[in-house]
Amino acid sequence: DVKVTQSSRYLVKRTGEKVFLECVQDMDHENMFWYRQDPGLGLRLIYFSYDVKMKEKGDIPEGYSVSREKKERFSLILESASTNQTSMYLCASSLKGGANYGYTFGSGTRLTVV
Amino acid sequence: DAKTTQPPSMDCAEGRAANLPCNHSTISGNEYVYWYRQIHSQGPQYIIHGLKNNETNEMASLIITEDRKSSTLILPHATLRDTAVYYCISLATGGGNKLTFGTGTQLKVEL
């Protein structure tokens, strides 16, 4: 069964810490995405990547960066975690080549910054 | 990508068909209609997508109006496990396919 795996289901970090959220997919997908989900705001796109070493800003990139050194792995980095980054983070991947392919999502990482 | 409009919530009796509407009146010719659902505390799950023809798979059916301005997702025999938030999304073809989620429809399936 194809999968998008997020390294942690729950994470608690302190304000000011550097936080790494890891995502790995085993489907050889070119595209990978990071979303955050908050009550009342839905899913919002943070960053995405269409290929290795490529990255594009989504709708809410402030306070985040990403790394895509290998095709299967897409990391989200919180350079200095703040309490307003407490959220559910969802990673997704898809094939390149148009809208005829669905996204596959991971199970999510619930991050709490204290 | 065109904006979609969905009712915020719907109820359905278990075993009955759940018909979830979506308006996408500004959809353009190269935009597909996608449906995803999200069960509480899980990542969204792909259900079905279509361009202009009706589509059916093992999970659901998708009915798209002839003018493509609206569509309906049909779960033919809803079960309690179908309780979830259902998202209707329009998405253009091309390499830059970013899904933009709205607030969706909370479907509650009850006994």
Side-chain angles (χ1 to χ4, degrees), chain A residues 3-14:
Chain A
K3 278 195 184 321
V4 174
T5 303
Q6 294 183 231
S7 54
S8 304
R9 189 82 171 101
Y10 298 94
L11 211 51
V12 180
K13 295 291 182 181
R14 295 193 179 278

mmCIF file with all atom_site columns, all heavy atoms in Angstrom, chain A residues 3-14:
data_model
loop_
_atom_site.group_PDB
_atom_site.id
_atom_site.type_symbol
_atom_site.label_atom_id
_atom_site.label_alt_id
_atom_site.label_comp_id
_atom_site.label_asym_id
_atom_site.label_entity_id
_atom_site.label_seq_id
_atom_site.pdbx_PDB_ins_code
_atom_site.Cartn_x
_atom_site.Cartn_y
_atom_site.Cartn_z
_atom_site.occupancy
_atom_site.B_iso_or_equiv
_atom_site.pdbx_formal_charge
_atom_site.auth_seq_id
_atom_site.auth_comp_id
_atom_site.auth_asym_id
_atom_site.auth_atom_id
_atom_site.pdbx_PDB_model_num
ATOM 1   N N   . LYS A 1 3  ? 2.252  4.970  0.557  1.00 0.00 ? 3  LYS A N   1
ATOM 2   C CA  . LYS A 1 3  ? 2.135  5.727  1.783  1.00 0.00 ? 3  LYS A CA  1
ATOM 3   C C   . LYS A 1 3  ? 2.889  7.057  1.745  1.00 0.00 ? 3  LYS A C   1
ATOM 4   O O   . LYS A 1 3  ? 3.901  7.204  1.075  1.00 0.00 ? 3  LYS A O   1
ATOM 5   C CB  . LYS A 1 3  ? 2.716  4.914  2.937  1.00 0.00 ? 3  LYS A CB  1
ATOM 6   C CG  . LYS A 1 3  ? 1.782  3.867  3.522  1.00 0.00 ? 3  LYS A CG  1
ATOM 7   C CD  . LYS A 1 3  ? 2.308  3.400  4.850  1.00 0.00 ? 3  LYS A CD  1
ATOM 8   C CE  . LYS A 1 3  ? 1.487  2.293  5.461  1.00 0.00 ? 3  LYS A CE  1
ATOM 9   N NZ  . LYS A 1 3  ? 0.074  2.389  5.316  1.00 0.00 ? 3  LYS A NZ  1
ATOM 10  N N   . VAL A 1 4  ? 2.334  7.984  2.518  1.00 0.00 ? 4  VAL A N   1
ATOM 11  C CA  . VAL A 1 4  ? 3.049  9.188  2.908  1.00 0.00 ? 4  VAL A CA  1
ATOM 12  C C   . VAL A 1 4  ? 3.188  9.101  4.422  1.00 0.00 ? 4  VAL A C   1
ATOM 13  O O   . VAL A 1 4  ? 2.184  9.022  5.131  1.00 0.00 ? 4  VAL A O   1
ATOM 14  C CB  . VAL A 1 4  ? 2.281  10.462 2.502  1.00 0.00 ? 4  VAL A CB  1
ATOM 15  C CG1 . VAL A 1 4  ? 2.986  11.686 3.051  1.00 0.00 ? 4  VAL A CG1 1
ATOM 16  C CG2 . VAL A 1 4  ? 2.159  10.539 0.985  1.00 0.00 ? 4  VAL A CG2 1
ATOM 17  N N   . THR A 1 5  ? 4.422  9.083  4.883  1.00 0.00 ? 5  THR A N   1
ATOM 18  C CA  . THR A 1 5  ? 4.684  8.868  6.302  1.00 0.00 ? 5  THR A CA  1
ATOM 19  C C   . THR A 1 5  ? 5.260  10.131 6.928  1.00 0.00 ? 5  THR A C   1
ATOM 20  O O   . THR A 1 5  ? 6.247  10.681 6.437  1.00 0.00 ? 5  THR A O   1
ATOM 21  C CB  . THR A 1 5  ? 5.683  7.715  6.496  1.00 0.00 ? 5  THR A CB  1
ATOM 22  O OG1 . THR A 1 5  ? 5.164  6.533  5.874  1.00 0.00 ? 5  THR A OG1 1
ATOM 23  C CG2 . THR A 1 5  ? 5.911  7.439  7.976  1.00 0.00 ? 5  THR A CG2 1
ATOM 24  N N   . GLN A 1 6  ? 4.619  10.570 7.985  1.00 0.00 ? 6  GLN A N   1
ATOM 25  C CA  . GLN A 1 6  ? 5.126  11.706 8.752  1.00 0.00 ? 6  GLN A CA  1
ATOM 26  C C   . GLN A 1 6  ? 5.765  11.163 10.026 1.00 0.00 ? 6  GLN A C   1
ATOM 27  O O   . GLN A 1 6  ? 5.201  10.295 10.684 1.00 0.00 ? 6  GLN A O   1
ATOM 28  C CB  . GLN A 1 6  ? 4.004  12.693 9.052  1.00 0.00 ? 6  GLN A CB  1
ATOM 29  C CG  . GLN A 1 6  ? 3.473  13.331 7.791  1.00 0.00 ? 6  GLN A CG  1
ATOM 30  C CD  . GLN A 1 6  ? 2.406  14.374 8.039  1.00 0.00 ? 6  GLN A CD  1
ATOM 31  O OE1 . GLN A 1 6  ? 1.340  14.335 7.449  1.00 0.00 ? 6  GLN A OE1 1
ATOM 32  N NE2 . GLN A 1 6  ? 2.694  15.336 8.896  1.00 0.00 ? 6  GLN A NE2 1
ATOM 33  N N   . SER A 1 7  ? 6.926  11.709 10.348 1.00 0.00 ? 7  SER A N   1
ATOM 34  C CA  . SER A 1 7  ? 7.782  11.076 11.347 1.00 0.00 ? 7  SER A CA  1
ATOM 35  C C   . SER A 1 7  ? 7.164  11.028 12.738 1.00 0.00 ? 7  SER A C   1
ATOM 36  O O   . SER A 1 7  ? 7.402  10.089 13.488 1.00 0.00 ? 7  SER A O   1
ATOM 37  C CB  . SER A 1 7  ? 9.132  11.785 11.412 1.00 0.00 ? 7  SER A CB  1
ATOM 38  O OG  . SER A 1 7  ? 8.946  13.174 11.633 1.00 0.00 ? 7  SER A OG  1
ATOM 39  N N   . SER A 1 8  ? 6.382  12.025 13.095 1.00 0.00 ? 8  SER A N   1
ATOM 40  C CA  . SER A 1 8  ? 5.810  12.049 14.440 1.00 0.00 ? 8  SER A CA  1
ATOM 41  C C   . SER A 1 8  ? 4.309  12.308 14.364 1.00 0.00 ? 8  SER A C   1
ATOM 42  O O   . SER A 1 8  ? 3.860  13.079 13.521 1.00 0.00 ? 8  SER A O   1
ATOM 43  C CB  . SER A 1 8  ? 6.450  13.150 15.294 1.00 0.00 ? 8  SER A CB  1
ATOM 44  O OG  . SER A 1 8  ? 7.843  13.001 15.351 1.00 0.00 ? 8  SER A OG  1
ATOM 45  N N   . ARG A 1 9  ? 3.555  11.667 15.226 1.00 0.00 ? 9  ARG A N   1
ATOM 46  C CA  . ARG A 1 9  ? 2.120  11.931 15.288 1.00 0.00 ? 9  ARG A CA  1
ATOM 47  C C   . ARG A 1 9  ? 1.824  13.115 16.211 1.00 0.00 ? 9  ARG A C   1
ATOM 48  O O   . ARG A 1 9  ? 0.976  13.951 15.912 1.00 0.00 ? 9  ARG A O   1
ATOM 49  C CB  . ARG A 1 9  ? 1.403  10.679 15.804 1.00 0.00 ? 9  ARG A CB  1
ATOM 50  C CG  . ARG A 1 9  ? -0.089 10.760 15.702 1.00 0.00 ? 9  ARG A CG  1
ATOM 51  C CD  . ARG A 1 9  ? -0.554 10.413 14.303 1.00 0.00 ? 9  ARG A CD  1
ATOM 52  N NE  . ARG A 1 9  ? -2.019 10.290 14.259 1.00 0.00 ? 9  ARG A NE  1
ATOM 53  C CZ  . ARG A 1 9  ? -2.826 11.247 13.798 1.00 0.00 ? 9  ARG A CZ  1
ATOM 54  N NH1 . ARG A 1 9  ? -2.329 12.366 13.362 1.00 0.00 ? 9  ARG A NH1 1
ATOM 55  N NH2 . ARG A 1 9  ? -4.137 11.059 13.780 1.00 0.00 ? 9  ARG A NH2 1
ATOM 56  N N   . TYR A 1 10 ? 2.559  13.160 17.317 1.00 0.00 ? 10 TYR A N   1
ATOM 57  C CA  . TYR A 1 10 ? 2.427  14.267 18.267 1.00 0.00 ? 10 TYR A CA  1
ATOM 58  C C   . TYR A 1 10 ? 3.818  14.771 18.624 1.00 0.00 ? 10 TYR A C   1
ATOM 59  O O   . TYR A 1 10 ? 4.755  13.981 18.750 1.00 0.00 ? 10 TYR A O   1
ATOM 60  C CB  . TYR A 1 10 ? 1.712  13.807 19.553 1.00 0.00 ? 10 TYR A CB  1
ATOM 61  C CG  . TYR A 1 10 ? 0.300  13.325 19.337 1.00 0.00 ? 10 TYR A CG  1
ATOM 62  C CD1 . TYR A 1 10 ? 0.028  11.978 19.146 1.00 0.00 ? 10 TYR A CD1 1
ATOM 63  C CD2 . TYR A 1 10 ? -0.763 14.216 19.299 1.00 0.00 ? 10 TYR A CD2 1
ATOM 64  C CE1 . TYR A 1 10 ? -1.263 11.532 18.935 1.00 0.00 ? 10 TYR A CE1 1
ATOM 65  C CE2 . TYR A 1 10 ? -2.060 13.783 19.089 1.00 0.00 ? 10 TYR A CE2 1
ATOM 66  C CZ  . TYR A 1 10 ? -2.305 12.433 18.909 1.00 0.00 ? 10 TYR A CZ  1
ATOM 67  O OH  . TYR A 1 10 ? -3.589 12.008 18.694 1.00 0.00 ? 10 TYR A OH  1
ATOM 68  N N   . LEU A 1 11 ? 3.910  16.097 18.792 1.00 0.00 ? 11 LEU A N   1
ATOM 69  C CA  . LEU A 1 11 ? 5.192  16.699 19.102 1.00 0.00 ? 11 LEU A CA  1
ATOM 70  C C   . LEU A 1 11 ? 4.951  17.895 20.004 1.00 0.00 ? 11 LEU A C   1
ATOM 71  O O   . LEU A 1 11 ? 4.027  18.691 19.746 1.00 0.00 ? 11 LEU A O   1
ATOM 72  C CB  . LEU A 1 11 ? 5.832  17.174 17.797 1.00 0.00 ? 11 LEU A CB  1
ATOM 73  C CG  . LEU A 1 11 ? 7.336  17.186 17.618 1.00 0.00 ? 11 LEU A CG  1
ATOM 74  C CD1 . LEU A 1 11 ? 7.964  15.854 17.980 1.00 0.00 ? 11 LEU A CD1 1
ATOM 75  C CD2 . LEU A 1 11 ? 7.678  17.547 16.181 1.00 0.00 ? 11 LEU A CD2 1
ATOM 76  N N   . VAL A 1 12 ? 5.758  18.023 21.058 1.00 0.00 ? 12 VAL A N   1
ATOM 77  C CA  . VAL A 1 12 ? 5.685  19.192 21.927 1.00 0.00 ? 12 VAL A CA  1
ATOM 78  C C   . VAL A 1 12 ? 7.060  19.840 21.949 1.00 0.00 ? 12 VAL A C   1
ATOM 79  O O   . VAL A 1 12 ? 8.059  19.167 22.239 1.00 0.00 ? 12 VAL A O   1
ATOM 80  C CB  . VAL A 1 12 ? 5.256  18.815 23.361 1.00 0.00 ? 12 VAL A CB  1
ATOM 81  C CG1 . VAL A 1 12 ? 5.204  20.070 24.231 1.00 0.00 ? 12 VAL A CG1 1
ATOM 82  C CG2 . VAL A 1 12 ? 3.897  18.120 23.349 1.00 0.00 ? 12 VAL A CG2 1
ATOM 83  N N   . LYS A 1 13 ? 7.109  21.120 21.609 1.00 0.00 ? 13 LYS A N   1
ATOM 84  C CA  . LYS A 1 13 ? 8.374  21.846 21.557 1.00 0.00 ? 13 LYS A CA  1
ATOM 85  C C   . LYS A 1 13 ? 8.236  23.157 22.329 1.00 0.00 ? 13 LYS A C   1
ATOM 86  O O   . LYS A 1 13 ? 7.131  23.659 22.550 1.00 0.00 ? 13 LYS A O   1
ATOM 87  C CB  . LYS A 1 13 ? 8.750  22.140 20.096 1.00 0.00 ? 13 LYS A CB  1
ATOM 88  C CG  . LYS A 1 13 ? 9.035  20.895 19.282 1.00 0.00 ? 13 LYS A CG  1
ATOM 89  C CD  . LYS A 1 13 ? 10.308 20.225 19.738 1.00 0.00 ? 13 LYS A CD  1
ATOM 90  C CE  . LYS A 1 13 ? 10.636 18.989 18.901 1.00 0.00 ? 13 LYS A CE  1
ATOM 91  N NZ  . LYS A 1 13 ? 11.873 18.323 19.356 1.00 0.00 ? 13 LYS A NZ  1
ATOM 92  N N   . ARG A 1 14 ? 9.391  23.698 22.699 1.00 0.00 ? 14 ARG A N   1
ATOM 93  C CA  . ARG A 1 14 ? 9.403  24.962 23.441 1.00 0.00 ? 14 ARG A CA  1
ATOM 94  C C   . ARG A 1 14 ? 9.569  26.144 22.489 1.00 0.00 ? 14 ARG A C   1
ATOM 95  O O   . ARG A 1 14 ? 10.189 26.028 21.417 1.00 0.00 ? 14 ARG A O   1
ATOM 96  C CB  . ARG A 1 14 ? 10.537 24.974 24.452 1.00 0.00 ? 14 ARG A CB  1
ATOM 97  C CG  . ARG A 1 14 ? 10.386 23.935 25.554 1.00 0.00 ? 14 ARG A CG  1
ATOM 98  C CD  . ARG A 1 14 ? 11.347 24.200 26.693 1.00 0.00 ? 14 ARG A CD  1
ATOM 99  N NE  . ARG A 1 14 ? 11.187 23.212 27.755 1.00 0.00 ? 14 ARG A NE  1
ATOM 100 C CZ  . ARG A 1 14 ? 10.245 23.278 28.694 1.00 0.00 ? 14 ARG A CZ  1
ATOM 101 N NH1 . ARG A 1 14 ? 9.391  24.290 28.695 1.00 0.00 ? 14 ARG A NH1 1
ATOM 102 N NH2 . ARG A 1 14 ? 10.165 22.355 29.613 1.00 0.00 ? 14 ARG A NH2 1
#
